[in-house]
Amino acid sequence: MQLMLEKSAAGGGLRERKKRATRAALAEAAVRLAAEHGAEKVTVEAISAAAGVSVRTFFNYFDTRDDAFVVIDADAGARMRRAVLDAPPALSPLEALREAMAAELAEAEQQHELWRLHAEVLHASPHLLARGVGAHMAAEADLADAIAERLRGTGAEGAAPGLYPRLLAAVAGAAVRTSVEHWSTHQEEAAFIDVFHEVFTLLAAGLPAPTA
């Protein structure tokens, strides 16, 4: 999930929290402007003005204009990787990954509109969509590396040690997308986090077929 904007109560000192808030404001401004006018018509100057910062400040956070549309939260992957590695040893790899993702998605219901706009922006611009897919694959590979490192730390071995981490990271990513899509059309039935946990419960059970 690429759209994971910073939580106001995130850890770190005041300076770091301010930096995360500025990055989040720039990313949100970029997405909203692109959704309204089309990404190709949105300038760095317009994004900066909407976020209340200078153009110079924009380039402190993003190398290019397009990065603001695609790389919404560059630190989310690092946080999830650290959470997977620091999770209690008693948790299975799936449970550790579930908890890491749940922490990032804690405000998913509040960010739902922005997620929708972000998806619209990417799908309306083929080059942005391609970059978004690439960013997603890179983040998935990083999570797989963290899972593999966690397994090595517990002494776990398998016939195909590189396969399990990649598969788990990919399946978890699909689980998050499924949770978001299902909740989006059934918001009145359950909170997002409940749908999220139900999906991971089904995964942990081995996806048994529903009973009549």
Side-chain angles (χ1 to χ4, degrees):
M1 179 59 60
Q2 292 303 304
L3 193 61
M4 296 179 183
L5 295 186
E6 301 293 349
K7 294 172 275 294
S8 61
L14 178 61
R15 179 182 174 83
E16 287 304 311
R17 291 199 297 273
K18 285 184 176 180
K19 288 173 63 177
R20 288 195 289 266
T22 299
R23 174 185 281 276
L26 284 165
E28 180 170 352
V31 168
R32 292 190 180 281
L33 287 171
E36 182 177 357
H37 304 290
E40 70 283 353
K41 296 181 180 179
V42 177
T43 65
V44 169
E45 289 78 8
I47 296 171
S48 302
V53 301
S54 67
V55 170
R56 180 177 179 180
T57 297
F58 176 94
F59 286 110
N60 287 337
Y61 294 91
F62 301 100
D63 292 333
T64 69
R65 183 202 64 158
D66 285 357
D67 286 340
F69 302 127
V70 178
V71 185
I72 299 296
D73 183 357
D75 298 325
R79 288 196 301 272
M80 283 194 289
R81 177 186 176 90
R82 178 45 52 193
V84 168
L85 293 174
D86 291 345
L91 295 184
S92 69
L94 177 61
E95 290 169 334
L97 191 51
R98 178 198 65 201
E99 294 305 306
M101 288 181 160
E104 289 297 322
L105 295 168
E107 295 185 357
E109 293 179 67
Q110 288 73 30
Q111 297 294 348
H112 172 61
E113 182 209 4
L114 205 53
W115 283 6
R116 177 181 58 79
L117 292 177
H118 182 247
E120 291 177 1
V121 168
L122 293 189
H123 282 87
S125 302
H127 77 285
L128 291 179
L129 181 59
R131 289 193 59 179
V133 170
H136 171 76
M137 293 178 65
E140 195 174 276
D142 285 343
L143 271 181
D145 288 343
I147 295 166
E149 184 174 341
R150 180 180 176 87
L151 289 171
R152 287 194 296 271
T154 61
E157 297 181 359
L163 180 60
Y164 177 84
R166 290 304 300 266
L167 178 60
L168 179 54
V171 168
V176 171
R177 291 192 297 275
T178 301
S179 300
V180 171
E181 291 168 3
H182 179 84
W183 176 77
S184 295
T185 56
H186 298 81
Q187 295 183 34
E188 70 285 353
E189 297 177 10
F192 170 78
I193 198 63
D194 293 331
V195 174
F196 173 85
H197 281 295
E198 181 180 356
V199 168
F200 271 80
T201 297
L202 289 171
L203 283 181
L207 290 178
T211 57

